[in-house]
Amino acid sequence: MKRIIFCISALLFLFNMSSLFSSDRGGEAIYIWKGISSMEKNKSIMYAHRAKGENTGAAVIICPGGSYHHLGLYNEGFKSAEWFSSKGVTAFTLRYRTAENGYHAPAMLQDLQRAIQLVRENAGEYGIDVNKVGVIGYSAGGHLVTMAGAFWKSHDELEKIGISHRVSLRPDFVIPVYPVVSMDDEIAHKWSRKSLLGKNQTSERKIEFSMEKQIPDDMPPSYIVVCMDDPVVDYRNSFVLYEAMKEKKIDAQLAVYDWGKHGFGMLNNKFMKEFHWNEKMWNDFLKEIVTLQK
């Protein structure tokens, strides 16, 4: 009996792995640290979905959530990439490093900054305008993309590991969806905090990674999405982030829904059918950015 259960588990594992690397679901795989000898052991991957139809020239890097421990690659990653691609936006789903494999900060930010670097340096290959490269992240991924917007100048993690770059690491837009934001005990998502910071959870580190306390004057335009009935990440995370951005006079919007809970991504679920949050985000925020001539 144990042998049968083991075989079934092994088959399920192989099926999931084959699905992960299939071209129709994951797009073309780009190993982001390939050729960097000091980092090549890190198998972080971007899956590229080229723009379909009329190419807007825009690109988005997608950071799925998973409490900085694992990644919800399908509903928050690949399904989002399909939707952006249908809008003429080249999409890159990022499989960044997480605590599940022993990684903590700044590994996640290193991966995202490297992804931004590669997208801009290879913009010509994908028909991308280097001034229209943004990020979207869900849950812990929302915290990560907020870091990318806030820390692009103060935390150049690529330079710290000896990688010089000719392009800006600043995203042109940031979209945190039901994001983890604060490390404060009152509203923190403690699993994400533990996965991000590891054992180094000093008060200084909590302040450093509480993003509502780190918004700079040059934070990119941002669009935050949250549901009031979120049972996973306290909805107040989104509110304090929005308030911090408005205090700095950042171009920011906060889309609040009464219900929808957490983890909906871009699946065709009840919440999506009722509110079409992504279409609202596109019409109210992103469409103007991707069609803007720079």
Side-chain angles (χ1 to χ4, degrees):
M1 185 65 180
K2 289 183 179 179
R3 184 184 296 272
I4 293 173
I5 293 173
F6 174 79
C7 290
I8 293 173
S9 299
L11 287 170
L12 286 172
F13 173 79
L14 290 172
F15 173 78
N16 288 332
M17 290 301 290
S18 64
S19 298
L20 177 62
F21 286 95
S22 64
S23 59
D24 61 331
R25 179 169 293 182
E28 56 185 278
I30 303 166
Y31 287 84
I32 66 174
W33 297 109
K34 185 177 180 180
I36 307 295
S37 58
S38 62
M39 299 291 288
E40 240 178 351
K41 62 179 175 51
N42 303 321
K43 303 303 180 184
S44 306
I45 301 174
M46 283 195 302
Y47 300 96
H49 286 251
R50 293 176 183 266
K52 295 179 180 177
E54 184 177 352
N55 187 351
T56 65
V60 64
I61 299 168
I62 303 164
C63 296
S67 304
Y68 277 130
H69 176 267
H70 55 279
L71 296 176
L73 280 170
Y74 179 68
N75 62 314
E76 294 174 342
F78 300 145
K79 295 303 290 183
S80 297
E82 290 173 7
W83 183 81
F84 277 107
S85 175
S86 74
K87 292 290 189 181
V89 177
T90 303
F92 299 86
T93 301
L94 180 62
R95 195 182 83 182
Y96 56 90
R97 287 170 285 167
T98 62
E100 185 176 35
N101 294 310
Y103 293 103
H104 307 289
M108 303 81 170
L109 185 56
Q110 288 174 350
D111 284 353
L112 180 50
Q113 288 185 336
R114 176 66 171 170
I116 293 170
Q117 176 196 6
L118 290 178
V119 169
R120 284 204 166 111
E121 287 184 350
N122 295 278
E125 180 182 342
Y126 293 92
I128 293 169
D129 182 336
V130 295
N131 296 308
K132 298 180 182 179
V133 178
V135 290
I136 181 173
Y138 300 86
S139 196
H143 183 274
L144 178 55
V145 298
T146 305
M147 281 202 293
F151 289 165
W152 68 276
K153 191 161 46 179
S154 62
H155 292 59
D156 189 332
E157 299 298 337
L158 300 185
E159 292 285 358
K160 290 178 184 177
I161 57 177
I163 298 175
S164 60
H165 52 87
R166 306 181 305 276
V167 297
S168 172
L169 300 179
R170 181 182 184 269
D172 292 299
F173 57 87
V174 177
I175 306 172
V177 184
Y178 41 83
V180 171
V181 175
S182 184
M183 300 290 116
D184 285 350
D185 288 342
E186 184 179 354
I187 62 172
H189 185 248
K190 292 180 175 59
W191 190 13
S192 293
R193 185 176 68 187
K194 180 180 179 181
S195 298
L196 176 68
L197 301 181
K199 296 180 180 179
N200 188 8
Q201 295 194 34
T202 63
S203 58
E204 291 80 8
R205 291 273 282 175
K206 289 179 182 179
I207 291 171
E208 180 183 3
F209 290 97
S210 288
M211 297 315 302
E212 78 279 14
K213 300 174 182 177
Q214 303 297 335
I215 300 302
D217 294 334
D218 57 1
M219 181 77 186
S222 300
Y223 187 92
I224 308 162
V225 181
V226 67
C227 296
M228 295 296 289
D229 65 344
D230 192 326
V232 179
V233 175
D234 193 317
Y235 72 89
R236 289 178 293 174
N237 278 263
S238 294
F239 280 69
V240 298
L241 178 60
Y242 177 70
E243 289 165 3
M245 289 184 180
K246 297 311 290 184
E247 186 175 333
K248 289 296 184 79
K249 296 181 169 47
I250 305 304
D251 178 8
Q253 296 184 44
L254 175 64
V256 181
Y257 296 92
D258 289 336
W259 61 269
K261 298 192 182 299
H262 190 89
F264 45 79
M266 286 199 189
L267 291 174
N268 189 26
N269 50 27
K270 183 179 179 181
F271 175 73
M272 179 70 81
K273 291 175 181 177
E274 178 71 20
F275 296 114
H276 302 283
W277 76 267
N278 51 1
E279 294 291 344
K280 178 175 171 57
M281 176 272 295
W282 176 265
N283 291 322
D284 292 353
F285 175 73
L286 195 54
K287 188 175 182 179
E288 181 179 353
I289 294 174
V290 303
T291 56
L292 188 66
Q293 297 297 318
K294 294 189 179 181

